[in-house]
Amino acid sequence: MPLLLTPENTLPVDGMAATLIGRAWVPGRIAGPSPIVLRSDGVFDLSERFATLSELLETQSPLAAVRQTPGTFIASVEALLANTGPACDPSRPYLLPPLDLQVIKAAGVTFAASMIERVIEEQAGGDMAKAEAVRATVRSVIGDNLRSIVPGSEQAMRLKALLIERGMWSQYLEVGIGPDAEIFTKAPVLAAVGSASHIGIHPGSQWNNPEPEVVLAVNSHGQIHGATLGNDVNLRDFEGRSALLLSKAKDNNASCAIGPFIRLFDEHFSLDDVRACVVDLEVRGEDGYRLQGSSSMSQISRDPQDLVGQTLNANHQYPDGFLLFLGTLFAPTEDRDQAGSGFTHKLGDHVRISSPLLGSLHNQVTHSCAATPWTFGVGALLRNLASRGLLAR
């Protein structure tokens, strides 16, 4: 069944009290993508002042800029959401993922529970049939409560020495409790998909899972202006065989979902709300299967501000800003089919990632080769903006 977006299954619990920005495909003499803001009286196109969402987030105060820009009405919130998805009518506006020129970055192994699962993947060599036996062995040595250990601290270094001595040291523990976080590029610029889109699993993967995460919107100066939700689709067998396969495990067509909107920081929402939020996951299979889980940001090992600082600094700049996945606590281990097989996706799975103050991101699983090919890159965007007269100012 196709996914139907509504305000009730998409918006934050406080609805229009939130400052929600994003992007929409806007029809017209020359159709194209535009930055948008949601207001109580509808969805407004901001491209008369900001050609891209990146440009908006580069202003001194995106919140003030949004409030001072009237914009052009394009649709009701209900109509925009209802026309979003694979079967959308291109003659009417529809929702896009809420980013354009920003680089898509991700922080890995930021939660103790998922860190242990990464060690298990490595020890099992990507074979999910071996995972349960390896899980018991790893936890007998490491335990499952590493949250109290501050990454890079003396305590962490003593644990590292002990694990090396026991033959249990891992590259995942290095980035989990060592001084340097794992920061990688999740997907190319403009390659993410939005809510109601298909998400892509590599057809060669037999062990994979969703990764529900909070995603920060950060400008080129390292200022965090808001947050959204993301699915860092993960192939556990590919990465488990070798960490050098990370790019193949993480970056495939439609393998990065972000949305539905960026919620800007304002009087009702701040970075402390991000630090305290809980991200819920629900997977519903066409076979009647149902999986639920949650990831509490209070359990993160590294503060979001620290992760931003490890991404952008004197050694690396992002002139158009970036979106940063913060990692996940959730690593599904319960059996879906036969005992000991663990969880993996099936085609047609509906995935809902939600948090009360950020809304809900909805996607359906397909193979990457069957998802809509990615064709609208940076060159296409620049040509489109130029043809609409949005670069001549």
Side-chain angles (χ1 to χ4, degrees):
M1 292 291 291
L3 298 167
L4 177 63
L5 300 186
T6 66
E8 292 73 25
N9 69 17
T10 298
L11 301 184
V13 292
D14 50 351
M16 291 298 108
T19 307
L20 301 174
I21 61 171
R23 290 167 66 242
W25 187 267
V26 181
R29 185 179 64 83
I30 301 176
S34 291
I36 59 170
V37 62
L38 272 62
R39 295 177 174 141
S40 59
D41 51 346
V43 182
F44 290 80
D45 181 343
L46 302 176
S47 62
E48 64 185 40
R49 183 174 175 189
F50 303 104
T52 65
L53 207 56
S54 169
E55 182 183 3
L56 169 59
L57 292 170
E58 285 297 309
T59 61
Q60 184 174 2
S61 172
L63 177 65
V66 164
R67 289 177 173 176
Q68 293 165 8
T69 304
T72 303
F73 176 84
I74 60 170
S76 67
V77 175
E78 293 80 0
L80 179 75
L81 294 177
N83 190 46
T84 297
C88 67
D89 177 355
S91 69
R92 297 186 289 124
Y94 57 87
L95 188 65
L96 297 171
L99 75 162
D100 37 50
L101 294 177
Q102 300 96 325
V103 176
I104 306 171
K105 305 295 289 188
V109 202
T110 54
F111 289 81
S114 60
M115 173 170 58
I116 292 170
E117 284 300 312
R118 298 292 86 78
V119 175
I120 290 164
E121 288 169 14
E122 182 182 44
Q123 296 288 323
D127 184 350
M128 67 178 177
K130 299 178 181 177
E132 193 56 44
V134 173
R135 186 172 291 112
T137 301
V138 169
R139 285 187 168 166
S140 70
V141 176
I142 299 175
D144 56 7
N145 185 16
L146 298 179
R147 183 176 177 270
S148 62
I149 297 175
V150 177
S153 66
E154 290 184 13
Q155 182 189 19
M157 294 305 97
R158 287 195 299 271
L159 176 60
K160 175 178 178 177
L162 173 62
L163 292 171
I164 290 174
E165 181 183 330
R166 297 287 295 273
M168 292 299 297
W169 185 247
S170 162
Q171 57 204 337
Y172 296 104
L173 288 166
E174 177 64 48
V175 296
I177 65 176
D180 299 312
E182 179 192 19
I183 305 291
F184 61 93
T185 300
K186 167 62 183 177
V189 171
L190 287 171
V193 299
S195 197
S197 298
H198 286 107
I199 48 173
I201 299 292
H202 192 289
S205 175
Q206 301 300 314
W207 187 21
N208 47 70
N209 63 262
E211 292 196 348
E213 304 187 24
V214 172
V215 182
L216 298 180
V218 188
N219 71 6
S220 64
H221 305 289
Q223 298 168 311
I224 308 170
H225 284 307
T228 185
L229 296 169
N231 187 347
D232 179 13
V233 179
N234 183 45
L235 310 183
R236 301 189 69 178
D237 45 4
F238 280 44
E239 187 177 354
R241 279 161 42 206
S242 171
L244 296 181
L245 291 174
L246 178 66
S247 61
K248 196 163 189 176
K250 291 291 189 180
D251 182 12
N252 297 290
N253 184 41
S255 66
C256 175
I258 299 176
F261 303 98
I262 291 173
R263 179 166 188 169
L264 291 180
F265 293 154
D266 59 13
E267 304 88 344
H268 309 292
F269 184 64
S270 69
L271 186 57
D272 283 338
D273 291 303
V274 171
R275 292 183 174 110
C277 79
V278 174
V279 180
D280 294 314
L281 169 74
E282 180 182 58
V283 177
R284 287 183 178 271
E286 294 184 335
D287 55 357
Y289 175 83
R290 185 182 183 191
L291 171 72
Q292 291 182 296
S294 64
S295 181
S296 174
M297 284 293 295
S298 67
Q299 300 297 309
I300 199 167
S301 302
R302 300 180 192 267
D303 186 74
Q305 191 73 64
D306 174 57
L307 291 170
V308 168
Q310 293 216 31
T311 305
L312 185 150
N313 47 60
N315 299 307
H316 210 314
Q317 295 79 45
Y318 297 91
D320 297 301
F322 60 97
L323 266 69
L324 178 63
F325 282 74
L326 294 179
T328 185
L329 174 67
F330 186 71
T333 59
E334 64 182 68
D335 295 331
R336 180 166 191 174
D337 292 316
Q338 66 269 26
S341 66
F343 171 85
T344 196
H345 271 307
K346 292 185 179 182
L347 297 182
D349 280 353
H350 285 217
V351 182
R352 178 178 63 87
I353 295 171
S354 60
S355 190
L357 295 180
L358 294 173
S360 296
L361 171 66
H362 300 266
N363 299 104
Q364 188 170 18
V365 173
T366 189
H367 282 147
S368 291
C369 55
T372 302
W374 173 43
T375 58
F376 196 89
V378 175
L381 174 63
L382 294 179
R383 288 189 295 272
N384 181 270
L385 296 177
S387 68
R388 294 158 64 195
L390 299 177
L391 296 184
R393 54 177 182 239

